[in-house]
Amino acid sequence: MSDQREKIATNIRKGVLEYCVLGSLAGGDKYGLELAEELTARQLTASEGSLYPLLARMKTTGLVETYWEEGGSGRKRKYYTITEHGHLMLGGFREVWEAISLQVTELLGGQHGIDS
């Protein structure tokens, strides 16, 4: 990916990452590393290091809650769960995302890529 395209992708990811976390958690609770691996595999975040500060902010703002549970290795893991407020925010984001993505796609002439 060219530097310009990577910069565009990074800016978009930063804008939607919080909602991607909420979307993932809407499918079920996850511990931090599990969530980080999912988002990294989908190329939505570069590393765990950028995810944990976001999760802390999301907890402070009431979008997620945490609890500890023993994992398969006997070690306790911190799990994240979406709150009612998080579900409301995710629903609002979905509506806005659908409208904006439709408008952007139409403005770009229905193209799936960006011309160099």
Side-chain angles (χ1 to χ4, degrees):
M1 189 179 282
S2 73
D3 288 343
Q4 179 185 9
R5 288 181 182 180
E6 185 55 39
K7 190 180 291 186
I8 292 167
T10 298
N11 287 332
I12 291 171
R13 284 185 202 109
K14 284 180 185 177
V16 300
L17 183 57
E18 180 174 295
Y19 300 101
C20 291
V21 168
L22 292 175
S24 176
L25 293 176
D29 300 353
K30 293 185 173 67
Y31 60 93
L33 182 59
E34 181 180 24
L35 189 56
E37 288 174 347
E38 177 185 14
L39 295 169
T40 301
R42 293 175 181 262
Q43 299 180 340
L44 293 169
T45 187
S47 69
E48 293 173 53
S50 60
L51 179 61
Y52 288 106
L54 173 64
L55 288 167
R57 285 192 303 275
M58 292 174 73
K59 183 177 179 189
T60 300
T61 58
L63 297 172
V64 300
E65 292 177 344
T66 60
Y67 62 92
W68 290 91
E69 192 170 289
E70 200 167 298
S73 63
R75 293 179 40 201
K76 286 196 170 203
R77 293 177 171 162
K78 184 189 279 189
Y79 280 80
Y80 295 85
T81 186
I82 187 171
T83 63
E84 184 176 334
H85 177 58
H87 279 290
L88 290 172
M89 294 296 291
L90 180 59
F93 176 78
R94 279 188 181 117
E95 291 175 15
V96 171
W97 179 260
E98 288 171 8
I100 287 175
S101 63
L102 177 65
Q103 296 303 320
V104 169
T105 300
E106 286 178 4
L107 284 170
L108 296 177
Q111 296 173 326
H112 294 288
I114 298 174
D115 295 333
S116 299

